Amino acid sequence: MAPISIKRILISESVDPCCKKILQENGIQVTEKQNMSTDDLIAEIKDYDGLVVRSGTKVTADVINAAGNLKIIGRAGTGVDNVDVDAATIKGIIVMNTPSGNTISAAELTCTLLMSLSRHVPQAAMSMKAGNWDRKKFMGAEMYGKILGIVGLGRIGKEVATRMQSFGMKTIGYDPITPPEVTATWGVEQMSLEQLWPKCDYITVHTPLMPSTAGLLNDTSFAKCKKGVKVVNCARGGIIDEDALLRALESRQCGGAGLDVFVEEPPKNRALVNHPNVISCPHLGASTKEAQARCGQDIALQIVDMVMGKSLVGAVTRNHNEGLTQGACEVEIFVNGSSYRATGSVQGGVPVLLELNRSVFRQPVSLTGNLLFFKAVASPPLLPSVTGLLAKAGVEMESFSAPAARIGDQWYCVGLSSLLGDLGALQPLVKAAAQVSV
Ligand SMILES: NC(=O)c1ccc[n+]([C@@H]2O[C@H](COP(=O)([O-])OP(=O)(O)OC[C@H]3O[C@@H](n4cnc5c(N)ncnc54)[C@H](O)[C@@H]3O)[C@@H](O)[C@H]2O)c1
Ligand SMILES: O=C(O)[C@H](O)COP(=O)(O)O
């Protein structure tokens, strides 16, 4: 990748100080300005080559169009729904995020809300502060033996599943991209949503917000749930339809809700927040010292790498030249001095890889998690040999994507539980290999 000149960056939200430090150490001038209105940002942005945000800054088309020099929008976190990615794409501005930095924190908050719903801890604590001693009102239920439905089995969904299994919960789920054989290895049985709704005592959603997930839980799906089902949304406001949730809470079809996110933040309509069976937080999923340190560091290092022409990690910008409407785009990526030509698209809101260096994959490869790509000649012992080698290195194979063709050198992709410490171990089996964490 050719180096990109970035001299001045604006950080418009509370991002860990290590971000500013790393950028400055690499010769980039950094200005921090928080709580700007969109008009303030429009007036300010023209002076900068880069902008670093969290979820609070609305990087609208107006902001992007006012930004004459902007080359990079860095999201210190996961969701980029506050950035108009299409407007950025049209202007050739790269949008990148740090999708893994806050996974554990968001998963832990989800588990906290699930457990608080089962034992009414926030309500009991408030009652104690009000001078009461009410042991009867806050009768709870054990998590043990209950069924948790997880909608969206990506990074956070997986971490929630394994944690709640330790409480003796049975975990079931649904994801259109993560294969059932993969989720089975971490204890989640997949099924259709129609089969899932009536089985669950608790439901938690971990998808991005997009047209296919907006209102996933709505009047119709609540009606199919067990009476008294408890729900958690630590993903994005609107995946659980807020009006439908309020109706379900009022009819007791829903026994309680844990909400970290809202359609409007902060929510002007307080009906849900004020409901006695709702526990809510002001979008705190990523608000831990550890998550902020990781996200701040990751975004700064990704920007520095880009400036040095090293790599383009975490880029989510779509390629307008190739016609997004057709769904596919082609990019050339340079990793450790080698060039890779990749064709990908976005399916159901999820980036997928279709082709790598002319190897067309049989199924689209979901670009999430730790991915190992290798080039080899197809042969029956190839997969068992790679699996054995990974097992020796203490790394689990979470998914396997094979090329459609079986002739000559082809590229394969393997999802890993963690990146390999040493790619050299693959040498006897493969002709080339690279790994990335997406
Ligand atoms: N509350 C917070 O502070 C906080 C923190 C981090 C992430 N998040 C949000 O949590 C969500 C999940 O993040 P992640 O890192 O696990 O993302 P991820 O991309 O790893 O996982 C999302 C999963 O959703 C699946 N999916 C897509 N469409 C679906 C559908 N219609 N039904 C079911 N599954 C579907 C995808 O296949 C993918 O596996 C995102 O919305 C993210 O913005 C919130
Ligand atoms: O998508 C995310 O990363 C989370 O929602 C966290 O958002 P935040 O960085 O604004 O806390």
Side-chain angles (χ1 to χ4, degrees), residues 54-55 75-79 102 236 283 286:
R54 286 178 58 187
S55 63
R75 161 66 161 114
T78 308
N102 56 30
R236 278 292 176 273
H283 201 147

Side-chain angles (χ1 to χ4, degrees), residues 42-116:
I42 287 173
E44 185 78 20
I45 197 68
K46 59 184 183 325
D47 299 329
Y48 296 90
D49 308 303
L51 173 65
V52 172
V53 301
R54 286 178 58 187
S55 63
T57 306
K58 306 296 167 223
V59 192
T60 59
D62 288 344
V63 172
I64 287 166
N65 291 331
N69 297 327
L70 203 63
K71 297 175 189 90
I72 168 83
I73 299 169
R75 161 66 161 114
T78 308
V80 287
D81 37 331
N82 53 316
V83 178
D84 190 328
V85 177
D86 289 336
T89 302
I90 289 164
K91 286 203 71 179
I93 297 168
I94 293 164
V95 181
M96 31 165 90
N97 65 350
T98 61
S100 314
N102 56 30
T103 300
I104 300 290
S105 293
E108 287 183 358
L109 184 69
T110 305
C111 299
T112 306
L113 289 175
L114 285 165
M115 288 188 279
S116 301

Side-chain angles (χ1 to χ4, degrees), residues 358-362 376-379 402-412:
R358 294 175 196 271
S359 288
V360 178
F361 290 99
R362 264 189 241 163
V377 179
S379 73
R406 309 278 301 160
I407 304 157
D409 290 343
Q410 296 291 341
W411 281 91
Y412 295 76

